[in-house]
Amino acid sequence: ARGIAPPAPRPWQPSKVKQKARKKLTQGEEEFINGALDAGLELGLEALPAKIRGKVDVGAARKLAKQRLSRGVYRQQIAEFDEAMRGLEVVVSAAGNPTLDILRHPEQIASMFGLNAKQAAAIVRETQGLIDYHRNPNPKAPQKLSPKVIAGIRRAMRKRIQQALEARAETLGQTLAREAISTAQQALYETAKKQGLLDDEKHFKEWVTRRDSGVCPRCDAFDHKRVPIDEGFTSDTGEDQFNPPIHPRCRCNTRLVTVRTPARQRRAA
């Protein structure tokens, strides 16, 4: 009979392959993770049954959650968030090139402000569109733009870059917060189980969506799924995820249920 390959380790699980030692958390990373965990643990405790909230070892749960958030993926997301915030701080002065040269090259824009290639290319197209609009259509006439027009284009593109950075920072901030909440909640579940406060035969975690028109098909395929506390979910489409969030701006979460908790009905199509 053909053997079944064991599942790949979840992102938070230690791999059996020896890993290189990770760099120590910077002060900024330490502060960010601690702040995120404060909020995550507070919300996670509310998800536990009232009778065990005062018994669960929050210190042990915090230590476990911090270990998981201190790994590479979450730290990379923190770095991207910091990059977006730094971009907002320098956008006014950095976009002040009077020749508009900096606004003609997507690679420079992406590198300077931390935008992705698509965002940078869109800004270059918008800049060129404004330049073309203000140029004299007569090819025999001088093509040089007046200082007033250049200043106007620069202001418009500076605003456009700022909007892109603000949107990126908001998305990253939401994703970081949701990941911290989910990780803290999971750590509380596992700690309570280890203490004997939760029982694998009685307690499960359930994937919960907002069940509104904003739920994407990918998240909807996970809705109402129940699994043991320390296991991952498999969606109707066969996708495996340990916990939400699974994409930027994901609004899903998990809740603790028992064998007696009524099953959630699927959202009407």
Side-chain angles (χ1 to χ4, degrees):
R2 186 174 58 182
I4 299 176
R10 299 293 179 182
W12 54 265
Q13 292 176 328
S15 172
K16 292 183 180 180
V17 178
K18 187 175 182 180
Q19 301 289 331
K20 292 182 179 179
R22 294 184 177 86
K23 293 182 180 178
K24 185 178 179 180
L25 291 175
T26 65
Q27 181 178 350
E29 289 174 332
E30 186 90 30
E31 291 176 353
F32 192 101
I33 289 175
N34 284 336
L37 278 179
D38 287 341
L41 289 167
E42 183 177 349
L43 291 171
L45 282 170
E46 293 178 4
L48 292 175
K51 64 181 180 180
I52 72 169
R53 288 175 194 165
K55 300 177 182 178
V56 65
D57 188 343
V58 177
R62 183 185 187 88
K63 181 178 180 181
L64 179 60
K66 187 172 183 178
Q67 287 175 347
R68 292 172 180 173
L69 291 179
S70 299
R71 292 175 181 166
V73 174
Y74 195 77
R75 293 177 71 176
Q76 178 61 34
Q77 291 175 332
I78 294 175
E80 291 174 3
F81 179 75
D82 287 342
E83 184 180 43
M85 298 307 293
R86 284 196 300 271
L88 284 171
E89 293 173 0
V90 303
V91 65
V92 174
S93 59
N97 186 326
T99 65
L100 296 178
D101 285 344
I102 194 173
L103 298 178
R104 299 174 191 264
H105 303 287
E107 294 83 2
Q108 284 183 292
I109 293 175
S111 175
M112 178 170 289
F113 299 111
L115 301 177
N116 61 40
K118 185 176 180 180
Q119 291 171 320
I123 289 169
V124 170
R125 287 196 301 270
E126 291 176 32
T127 301
Q128 191 59 50
L130 288 171
I131 291 172
D132 293 341
Y133 176 80
H134 288 285
R135 274 179 173 160
N136 190 327
N138 184 353
K140 295 182 180 180
Q143 298 294 304
K144 187 175 181 180
L145 299 178
S146 70
K148 184 177 180 180
V149 169
I150 289 177
I153 293 174
R154 190 168 63 244
R155 285 195 300 271
M157 289 301 96
R158 185 164 61 233
K159 183 176 180 180
R160 179 68 180 82
I161 292 171
Q162 183 172 347
Q163 290 172 341
L165 285 168
E166 287 173 345
R168 182 168 180 263
E170 181 184 6
T171 298
L172 286 168
Q174 290 177 354
T175 301
L176 287 166
R178 293 299 307 161
E179 184 67 30
I181 291 170
S182 179
T183 302
Q185 190 174 35
Q186 179 66 32
L188 285 167
Y189 289 167
E190 293 179 30
T191 301
K193 176 187 171 183
K194 187 175 181 180
Q195 292 178 258
L197 301 173
L198 297 178
D199 187 344
D200 256 348
E201 298 297 321
K202 297 179 180 179
H203 297 95
F204 302 87
K205 63 180 180 180
E206 181 179 70
W207 192 291
V208 179
T209 70
R210 292 290 183 89
R211 307 185 74 197
D212 58 22
S213 60
V215 176
C216 69
R218 186 181 175 196
C219 290
D220 193 47
F222 281 102
D223 191 33
H224 84 280
K225 300 293 185 185
R226 293 182 178 183
V227 295
I229 289 169
D230 51 4
E231 293 186 12
F233 296 87
T234 299
S235 73
D236 290 337
T237 60
E239 180 181 359
D240 292 324
Q241 291 289 342
F242 190 72
N243 274 330
I246 59 175
H247 60 75
R249 298 184 183 273
C250 180
R251 300 177 299 157
C252 297
N253 55 49
T254 62
R255 67 168 182 164
L256 192 66
V257 297
T258 70
V259 291
R260 295 183 179 181
T261 305
R264 281 162 51 91
Q265 298 298 314
R266 293 302 302 271
R267 181 173 65 90

PDB file of all heavy atoms in Angstrom, residues 32-45:
ATOM      1  N   PHE A  32       7.049  46.304  19.884  1.00  0.00           N
ATOM      2  CA  PHE A  32       5.885  46.052  19.035  1.00  0.00           C
ATOM      3  C   PHE A  32       5.213  44.740  19.415  1.00  0.00           C
ATOM      4  O   PHE A  32       3.989  44.667  19.576  1.00  0.00           O
ATOM      5  CB  PHE A  32       6.310  46.013  17.561  1.00  0.00           C
ATOM      6  CG  PHE A  32       5.162  46.037  16.600  1.00  0.00           C
ATOM      7  CD1 PHE A  32       4.807  47.206  15.958  1.00  0.00           C
ATOM      8  CD2 PHE A  32       4.416  44.894  16.338  1.00  0.00           C
ATOM      9  CE1 PHE A  32       3.737  47.244  15.076  1.00  0.00           C
ATOM     10  CE2 PHE A  32       3.341  44.917  15.465  1.00  0.00           C
ATOM     11  CZ  PHE A  32       3.002  46.102  14.833  1.00  0.00           C
ATOM     12  N   ILE A  33       6.010  43.676  19.576  1.00  0.00           N
ATOM     13  CA  ILE A  33       5.452  42.369  19.904  1.00  0.00           C
ATOM     14  C   ILE A  33       4.805  42.377  21.285  1.00  0.00           C
ATOM     15  O   ILE A  33       3.713  41.827  21.478  1.00  0.00           O
ATOM     16  CB  ILE A  33       6.543  41.283  19.808  1.00  0.00           C
ATOM     17  CG1 ILE A  33       6.920  41.054  18.335  1.00  0.00           C
ATOM     18  CG2 ILE A  33       6.080  39.968  20.434  1.00  0.00           C
ATOM     19  CD1 ILE A  33       8.064  40.090  18.120  1.00  0.00           C
ATOM     20  N   ASN A  34       5.456  43.025  22.254  1.00  0.00           N
ATOM     21  CA  ASN A  34       4.870  43.085  23.595  1.00  0.00           C
ATOM     22  C   ASN A  34       3.535  43.828  23.587  1.00  0.00           C
ATOM     23  O   ASN A  34       2.569  43.403  24.239  1.00  0.00           O
ATOM     24  CB  ASN A  34       5.843  43.771  24.560  1.00  0.00           C
ATOM     25  CG  ASN A  34       6.987  42.868  24.965  1.00  0.00           C
ATOM     26  OD1 ASN A  34       6.874  41.643  24.912  1.00  0.00           O
ATOM     27  ND2 ASN A  34       8.105  43.449  25.358  1.00  0.00           N
ATOM     28  N   GLY A  35       3.476  44.923  22.850  1.00  0.00           N
ATOM     29  CA  GLY A  35       2.225  45.664  22.766  1.00  0.00           C
ATOM     30  C   GLY A  35       1.128  44.869  22.087  1.00  0.00           C
ATOM     31  O   GLY A  35      -0.030  44.876  22.527  1.00  0.00           O
ATOM     32  N   ALA A  36       1.494  44.166  21.011  1.00  0.00           N
ATOM     33  CA  ALA A  36       0.513  43.351  20.298  1.00  0.00           C
ATOM     34  C   ALA A  36       0.011  42.206  21.176  1.00  0.00           C
ATOM     35  O   ALA A  36      -1.171  41.864  21.158  1.00  0.00           O
ATOM     36  CB  ALA A  36       1.130  42.802  19.012  1.00  0.00           C
ATOM     37  N   LEU A  37       0.916  41.634  21.955  1.00  0.00           N
ATOM     38  CA  LEU A  37       0.522  40.526  22.830  1.00  0.00           C
ATOM     39  C   LEU A  37      -0.385  40.987  23.965  1.00  0.00           C
ATOM     40  O   LEU A  37      -1.278  40.237  24.384  1.00  0.00           O
ATOM     41  CB  LEU A  37       1.764  39.838  23.403  1.00  0.00           C
ATOM     42  CG  LEU A  37       2.433  38.816  22.492  1.00  0.00           C
ATOM     43  CD1 LEU A  37       3.662  38.237  23.170  1.00  0.00           C
ATOM     44  CD2 LEU A  37       1.463  37.708  22.119  1.00  0.00           C
ATOM     45  N   ASP A  38      -0.156  42.188  24.477  1.00  0.00           N
ATOM     46  CA  ASP A  38      -1.034  42.705  25.531  1.00  0.00           C
ATOM     47  C   ASP A  38      -2.483  42.696  25.057  1.00  0.00           C
ATOM     48  O   ASP A  38      -3.389  42.228  25.771  1.00  0.00           O
ATOM     49  CB  ASP A  38      -0.626  44.135  25.908  1.00  0.00           C
ATOM     50  CG  ASP A  38       0.665  44.179  26.712  1.00  0.00           C
ATOM     51  OD1 ASP A  38       1.036  43.141  27.281  1.00  0.00           O
ATOM     52  OD2 ASP A  38       1.301  45.252  26.753  1.00  0.00           O
ATOM     53  N   ALA A  39      -2.695  43.212  23.849  1.00  0.00           N
ATOM     54  CA  ALA A  39      -4.051  43.251  23.293  1.00  0.00           C
ATOM     55  C   ALA A  39      -4.540  41.854  22.950  1.00  0.00           C
ATOM     56  O   ALA A  39      -5.698  41.500  23.206  1.00  0.00           O
ATOM     57  CB  ALA A  39      -4.076  44.140  22.052  1.00  0.00           C
ATOM     58  N   GLY A  40      -3.660  41.032  22.374  1.00  0.00           N
ATOM     59  CA  GLY A  40      -4.051  39.686  21.973  1.00  0.00           C
ATOM     60  C   GLY A  40      -4.444  38.800  23.138  1.00  0.00           C
ATOM     61  O   GLY A  40      -5.440  38.061  23.073  1.00  0.00           O
ATOM     62  N   LEU A  41      -3.697  38.873  24.229  1.00  0.00           N
ATOM     63  CA  LEU A  41      -4.011  38.059  25.401  1.00  0.00           C
ATOM     64  C   LEU A  41      -5.305  38.514  26.072  1.00  0.00           C
ATOM     65  O   LEU A  41      -6.082  37.684  26.554  1.00  0.00           O
ATOM     66  CB  LEU A  41      -2.849  38.110  26.397  1.00  0.00           C
ATOM     67  CG  LEU A  41      -1.585  37.354  25.968  1.00  0.00           C
ATOM     68  CD1 LEU A  41      -0.411  37.723  26.866  1.00  0.00           C
ATOM     69  CD2 LEU A  41      -1.817  35.841  25.997  1.00  0.00           C
ATOM     70  N   GLU A  42      -5.517  39.821  26.086  1.00  0.00           N
ATOM     71  CA  GLU A  42      -6.751  40.333  26.685  1.00  0.00           C
ATOM     72  C   GLU A  42      -7.973  39.818  25.928  1.00  0.00           C
ATOM     73  O   GLU A  42      -8.949  39.348  26.524  1.00  0.00           O
ATOM     74  CB  GLU A  42      -6.735  41.860  26.680  1.00  0.00           C
ATOM     75  CG  GLU A  42      -7.954  42.483  27.342  1.00  0.00           C
ATOM     76  CD  GLU A  42      -7.896  43.994  27.392  1.00  0.00           C
ATOM     77  OE1 GLU A  42      -6.822  44.565  27.096  1.00  0.00           O
ATOM     78  OE2 GLU A  42      -8.925  44.616  27.719  1.00  0.00           O
ATOM     79  N   LEU A  43      -7.915  39.881  24.596  1.00  0.00           N
ATOM     80  CA  LEU A  43      -9.027  39.390  23.795  1.00  0.00           C
ATOM     81  C   LEU A  43      -9.118  37.866  23.855  1.00  0.00           C
ATOM     82  O   LEU A  43     -10.210  37.299  23.840  1.00  0.00           O
ATOM     83  CB  LEU A  43      -8.857  39.850  22.339  1.00  0.00           C
ATOM     84  CG  LEU A  43      -9.026  41.353  22.104  1.00  0.00           C
ATOM     85  CD1 LEU A  43      -8.633  41.726  20.687  1.00  0.00           C
ATOM     86  CD2 LEU A  43     -10.462  41.777  22.376  1.00  0.00           C
ATOM     87  N   GLY A  44      -7.956  37.211  23.928  1.00  0.00           N
ATOM     88  CA  GLY A  44      -7.952  35.749  23.999  1.00  0.00           C
ATOM     89  C   GLY A  44      -8.583  35.226  25.277  1.00  0.00           C
ATOM     90  O   GLY A  44      -9.293  34.214  25.263  1.00  0.00           O
ATOM     91  N   LEU A  45      -8.343  35.923  26.385  1.00  0.00           N
ATOM     92  CA  LEU A  45      -8.942  35.509  27.653  1.00  0.00           C
ATOM     93  C   LEU A  45     -10.469  35.591  27.599  1.00  0.00           C
ATOM     94  O   LEU A  45     -11.167  34.769  28.189  1.00  0.00           O
ATOM     95  CB  LEU A  45      -8.407  36.379  28.790  1.00  0.00           C
ATOM     96  CG  LEU A  45      -6.997  36.036  29.286  1.00  0.00           C
ATOM     97  CD1 LEU A  45      -6.488  37.114  30.224  1.00  0.00           C
ATOM     98  CD2 LEU A  45      -6.987  34.678  29.987  1.00  0.00           C
TER      99      LEU A  45
END
